[in-house]
Amino acid sequence: MTRDEARNRINTLTQELNDHNYLYYVLAEPVISDYEFDQLLKELEALEKEHPELRRPDSPTLRVGGEVTKEFATVKHRYPMLSLGNTYSAEELEEFDARVRKGLGGELFEYVCELKYDGVAIGLRYENGQLTQAVTRGDGEKGDEVTANVKTIRTLPLRLRETVQAGTDLFAEPQSNVPADFEIRGEVFMPRSVFDAINKEKAEAGEALLANPRNSAAGTLKMQDSAIVAQRRLDCFLYFVLGENLPFKTHFESLDAARNWGFKVPEYTRLVPDLEGVRKFIAYWDKARHDLDFDIDGIVIKVNSYEQQRALGFTAKSPRWAIAYKFKAERVATRLLSISYQVGRTGAITPVANLEPVQLAGTTVKRASLHNADIIAKLDVRVGDWVYVEKGGEIIPKIVGVDMNRRDASSSAHEYITHCPECHTALVREEGEANHYCPNADGCGPQVLGKIEHFVSRRAMNIDSLGSETVAQLIDAKLIASYADLYELHTRKADLLALERMAEKSVNNLLDGIEQSKQVPFERVLFALGIRHVGETTARKLASHFKSMEAMQAATLEQLVDVPEVGEILARSIREWLDDVHHSELLNRLKGYGLQFALSEEQLEGRSDKLAGLTFVISGVFSRSRDDIKQLIEHNGGKNTGSVSGKTSYLVAGDNMGPEKRTKAEKLNVRIIDENQLIRLIETGSPD
Ligand code: IVH
């Protein structure tokens, strides 16, 4: 292929793939199969690799990230990013409406009602239909340029879809209605489902959880490595078009146009004739907001006509033609009775507030998370205080402040514990980490128990004959002090039989279960060890990278960081765990008992017959390419097909799966599983 041919092909592929992306992500109406899409993307990737200089700035290959930004450039906004005035009550809303009516001198007008998305504001510049710059709000005057990160958001068009209008003059050139240079503003957010999935993985890895979707979106946008941003699956809603001589008369029209250009403009937006319409919109969403897959913290009300907006103008801080109605935060005041501390299986200490029971959003709240020492100090929370408790996005309510007027004058600042509440070892806090840790991993009760519970759990060694209570019983009876001791239990049968509720049959079951766990594949053994920050996914990545425990043990810190998706903190945590002599002894013992310390021949080839007789349909976006998923299914004896039918065993759903496939699967009673469940199915024979 000549260079010119390559350029033409790259241009065509870029255009076609962007069109398909839009059909898939924004409209959820794909017209080609995932397989065909992958083939086109691969062809483009190959051509771009050969001719990197021909890669277009709107190339869909940019969606996977890869660019690393050391420091974000500060950029001045062309139009300052103003905020909105807030109202919290029906009266304040009436006052706003009265001001607007007065300002417009009795003219007729309409309001546009929108949801107030709770994320991070972003300004996007499009020049000649192409996304050229993405800037955060910053202080409203200047913000950070985060273009590479924003390009990973799949619902944002890198190049706009130009809707061409024929016009009335038959001989005139058709006119595009996309302004040559304009800005569009919106809110970047993390869908609730994504937030929950990330936190589930973090909990399994014993890591600190993300606080809420809003902070997670903000933190993600400021990450330096756009490849990691791509995995965080952010989304973006658009709500404001700005520019010179825009071809619209109203805000509602501009939203419609933006939707046609390919932006995700939520369909929840409504045009209403008066305040009564606004009230109805608010009343509806005050309840319905809980069913959305994203957080909103209120409603935004905007005067529709641009001319009327201009007539009303701005105050120093915000437009006079718009206002935010904020939902009442679900917040109550109650007494803080005491602060207790929990020790997790990795030794992480979590302070917990014990509260005088209080009703909040329909449930009785007795406890609230206090997260860590810094938060306690920042809020200056003291035992005996009246504290405000809020139910935000998180499952566990949190303390957001203290009523200083009701503080007892004799109270004193809370002193964070210096020693473990369980084993009294001095706590440590590592640089850059928010939590204190108890370092006595092998002698601290809840850590020992937690580690063994984790080791035997279903997704780890899957010893289901050993429940939490039995583990505690075995520790109490001094039959085990670590998970390695489980493999000596067969020599202690008489002691086991002497335990309460332990008859011959349950002892045999227990010992059989332990014996069978020796066949559990290497990656799950790695997960079972309970190394801080090593969750299921990381364990899988480590196993497929190093292939054996020996190779991993020999890896330097740098070599660990080289593993895809392993960062500095994780690498250090692994290296420290391996360097501990107790752990090398533990590993030697486990190896001696015959646990899987390397990938099996079959795994090395990536082959098994675990999926024999099963038929799969895959749809959506996965952490690896769709081709890889298909290959995985085939290498394990399964069959891939394109559409859901009565013969389909599983529909494997990635992100943004087309709705038709889901509906059909539900109708035909075909089980829908995600990527992790597929892996589990291959490893354990069951997706659960
Ligand atoms: S319009 C000049 N519409 O709320 C008016 N803002 O306090 C520009 N926000 O910084 C804002 N949803 O981050 C507008 N539908 C919506 C919104 C919205 C969320 C955020 C935005 C803005 C803040 C204003």
Side-chain angles (χ1 to χ4, degrees):
M1 195 185 276
T2 67
R3 207 179 120 87
D4 275 347
E5 282 166 351
R7 173 181 296 129
N8 284 342
R9 187 66 188 146
I10 285 179
N11 287 348
T12 314
L13 283 169
T14 302
Q15 173 87 47
E16 271 185 26
L17 284 161
N18 281 343
D19 282 348
H20 289 306
N21 245 329
Y22 171 73
L23 290 168
Y24 193 95
Y25 286 105
V26 180
L27 301 185
E29 285 166 6
V31 294
I32 59 169
S33 74
D34 299 349
Y35 180 74
E36 287 164 301
F37 183 93
D38 282 343
Q39 297 304 60
L40 295 176
L41 190 67
K42 277 208 170 140
E43 187 187 344
L44 178 61
E45 269 167 359
L47 282 171
E48 286 180 346
K49 206 166 166 196
E50 220 172 288
H51 306 277
E53 74 291 353
L54 296 181
R55 188 194 214 188
R56 293 176 29 153
D58 60 335
S59 169
T61 59
L62 289 165
R63 300 287 197 188
V64 293
E67 190 172 316
V68 174
T69 317
K70 279 274 166 279
E71 216 169 286
F72 299 107
T74 306
V75 176
K76 190 169 182 305
H77 292 294
R78 284 210 290 178
Y79 309 95
M81 258 186 159
L82 300 176
S83 59
L84 293 168
N86 287 328
T87 58
Y88 294 90
S89 66
E91 295 78 56
E92 282 176 304
L93 203 58
E94 256 168 52
E95 286 164 21
F96 166 74
D97 180 58
R99 283 197 303 274
V100 169
R101 274 186 287 126
K102 188 167 169 222
L104 295 178
E107 267 179 39
L108 278 180
F109 67 95
E110 289 171 315
Y111 287 123
V112 177
C113 292
E114 295 169 17
L115 303 184
K116 188 168 188 302
Y117 320 108
D118 195 12
V120 186
I122 194 88
L124 308 169
R125 184 168 178 183
Y126 282 81
E127 288 166 279
N128 301 318
Q130 199 137 295
L131 173 61
T132 52
Q133 197 176 51
V135 186
T136 62
R137 179 167 190 276
D139 61 4
E141 290 291 327
K142 294 183 265 36
D144 288 330
E145 213 225 283
V146 289
T147 317
N149 286 349
V150 163
K151 282 188 173 174
T152 68
I153 301 176
R154 296 192 182 244
T155 54
L156 273 181
L158 301 178
R159 164 171 283 280
L160 300 182
R161 314 174 51 72
E162 312 213 359
T163 49
V164 176
Q165 294 173 337
T168 43
D169 180 352
L170 281 178
F171 300 102
E173 279 289 300
Q175 285 273 303
S176 156
N177 75 342
V178 177
D181 185 357
F182 73 99
E183 183 172 334
I184 186 161
R185 289 189 181 158
E187 202 82 354
V188 174
F189 64 97
M190 181 179 281
R192 203 140 251 302
S193 49
V194 172
F195 172 79
D196 290 340
I198 293 179
N199 263 355
K200 202 166 144 223
E201 284 216 351
K202 284 191 175 287
E204 278 166 9
E207 286 179 32
L209 303 189
L210 299 176
N212 57 51
R214 207 192 81 83
N215 289 359
S216 313
T220 304
L221 263 194
K222 295 288 185 66
M223 282 181 163
Q224 291 180 334
D225 185 348
S226 61
I228 302 184
V229 178
Q231 289 159 15
R232 287 279 185 105
R233 291 169 285 165
L234 297 177
D235 206 339
C236 183
F237 285 146
L238 286 306
Y239 50 64
F240 194 19
V241 184
L242 293 112
E244 309 303 319
N245 306 319
L246 293 177
F248 318 112
K249 288 201 164 55
T250 68
H251 173 59
F252 202 69
E253 239 182 274
S254 79
L255 292 182
D256 243 355
R259 197 175 283 127
N260 288 328
W261 298 335
F263 290 104
K264 194 158 166 177
V265 178
E267 300 283 350
Y268 313 112
T269 301
R270 291 283 175 277
L271 200 55
V272 301
D274 53 18
L275 187 62
E276 190 44 36
V278 173
R279 286 200 193 103
K280 281 190 187 142
F281 189 84
I282 290 176
Y284 176 79
W285 284 107
D286 196 12
K287 290 206 175 63
R289 67 183 157 131
H290 301 291
D291 304 328
L292 294 168
D293 189 35
F294 51 89
D295 288 346
I296 62 171
D297 59 345
I299 298 296
V300 180
I301 300 125
K302 300 172 181 171
V303 169
N304 190 27
S305 140
Y306 277 169
E307 202 178 311
Q308 290 174 333
Q309 286 187 0
R310 270 191 293 273
L312 290 162
F314 294 83
T315 71
K317 282 189 300 193
S318 49
R320 287 202 182 86
W321 44 263
I323 200 145
Y325 174 87
K326 300 275 273 256
F327 293 127
K328 275 188 202 65
E330 293 171 284
R331 173 191 291 199
V332 285
T334 187
R335 283 287 288 276
L336 173 62
L337 303 177
S338 64
I339 295 176
S340 50
Y341 296 87
Q342 287 175 347
V343 187
R345 75 171 156 86
T346 59
I349 306 288
T350 315
V352 178
N354 299 304
L355 306 165
E356 202 154 85
V358 65
Q359 281 296 110
L360 175 61
T363 52
T364 307
V365 175
K366 294 185 195 128
R367 284 144 67 85
S369 171
L370 277 167
H371 299 288
N372 56 50
D374 287 349
I375 291 192
I376 297 180
K378 197 170 126 216
L379 295 171
D380 184 22
V381 196
R382 303 177 181 188
V383 172
D385 273 347
W386 279 86
V387 292
Y388 298 113
V389 185
E390 228 177 60
K391 209 164 213 177
E394 307 82 50
I395 306 148
I396 311 166
K398 63 176 180 186
I399 293 183
V400 292
V402 174
D403 184 350
M404 294 296 174
N405 295 325
R406 291 165 95 176
R407 170 168 283 175
D408 187 345
S410 66
S411 77
S412 54
H414 180 73
E415 283 188 28
Y416 203 80
I417 48 167
T418 52
H419 289 74
C420 176
E422 300 284 340
C423 71
H424 313 294
T425 306
L427 299 179
V428 290
R429 182 175 176 183
E430 275 157 37
E431 221 184 290
E433 299 224 358
N435 287 84
H436 285 71
Y437 284 89
C438 166
N440 182 19
D442 304 316
C444 176
Q447 289 192 64
V448 172
L449 176 69
K451 281 198 172 65
I452 303 178
E453 277 174 346
H454 170 71
F455 185 84
V456 303
S457 66
R458 201 156 36 94
R459 295 186 188 170
M461 303 305 281
N462 192 24
I463 308 179
D464 59 2
S465 48
L466 192 50
S468 288
E469 274 176 32
T470 317
V471 173
Q473 207 181 3
L474 295 174
I475 295 175
D476 279 348
K478 305 231 173 331
L479 285 170
I480 56 171
S482 74
Y483 42 66
D485 295 340
L486 293 171
Y487 296 92
E488 301 278 359
L489 281 178
H490 64 278
T491 63
R492 313 283 299 265
K493 210 165 163 185
D495 294 317
L496 288 173
L497 283 167
L499 293 176
E500 232 176 273
R501 294 190 309 275
M502 278 291 208
E504 181 84 24
K505 194 168 166 213
S506 37
V507 170
N508 286 343
N509 267 347
L510 172 64
L511 295 177
D512 281 353
I514 293 173
E515 188 59 30
Q516 274 165 25
S517 74
K518 293 180 182 171
Q519 302 313 319
V520 163
F522 174 47
E523 63 272 22
R524 278 172 50 209
V525 175
L526 258 184
F527 172 58
L529 295 176
I531 305 173
R532 200 185 324 152
H533 304 310
V534 177
E536 248 179 318
T537 316
T538 311
R540 227 171 19 238
K541 299 240 151 81
L542 290 168
S544 68
H545 184 88
F546 290 113
K547 306 198 168 39
S548 75
M549 188 73 82
E550 221 176 353
M552 190 175 108
Q553 282 175 292
T556 61
L557 195 64
E558 291 72 35
Q559 286 166 334
L560 283 164
V561 176
D562 278 347
V563 182
E565 288 167 52
V566 172
E568 185 78 26
I569 292 185
L570 182 56
R572 227 180 314 129
S573 163
I574 299 170
R575 203 49 266 167
E576 269 170 25
W577 194 94
L578 293 169
D579 287 339
D580 186 320
V581 282
H582 287 108
H583 296 149
S584 12
E585 274 169 31
L586 212 58
L587 289 180
N588 281 340
R589 283 178 64 195
L590 293 176
K591 191 174 181 191
Y593 299 132
L595 272 68
Q596 301 299 315
F597 265 35
L599 293 180
S600 64
E601 291 285 310
E602 280 174 348
Q603 276 183 310
L604 281 173
E605 284 178 12
R607 284 170 200 279
S608 84
D609 55 4
K610 294 266 175 58
L611 304 180
L614 299 177
T615 304
F616 295 81
V617 174
I618 70 165
S619 174
V621 186
F622 301 89
S623 77
R624 51 189 109 186
S625 81
R626 276 187 286 248
D627 271 355
D628 283 355
I629 300 269
K630 285 185 180 159
Q631 202 178 48
L632 190 70
I633 292 174
E634 276 165 23
H635 281 182
N636 289 287
K639 201 174 134 200
N640 289 300
T641 54
S643 59
V644 179
S645 75
K647 291 196 188 115
T648 312
S649 320
Y650 291 98
L651 169 60
V652 188
D655 289 326
N656 296 306
M657 181 179 72
E660 306 82 29
K661 283 208 171 96
R662 176 176 294 277
T663 317
K664 193 148 180 216
E666 280 165 359
K667 216 166 94 194
L668 294 172
N669 246 336
V670 170
R671 170 118 190 238
I672 304 175
I673 58 174
D674 65 17
E675 185 177 344
N676 274 328
Q677 287 174 303
L678 172 68
I679 308 287
R680 232 173 279 138
L681 181 65
I682 295 169
E683 285 175 355
T684 67
S686 153
D688 304 308

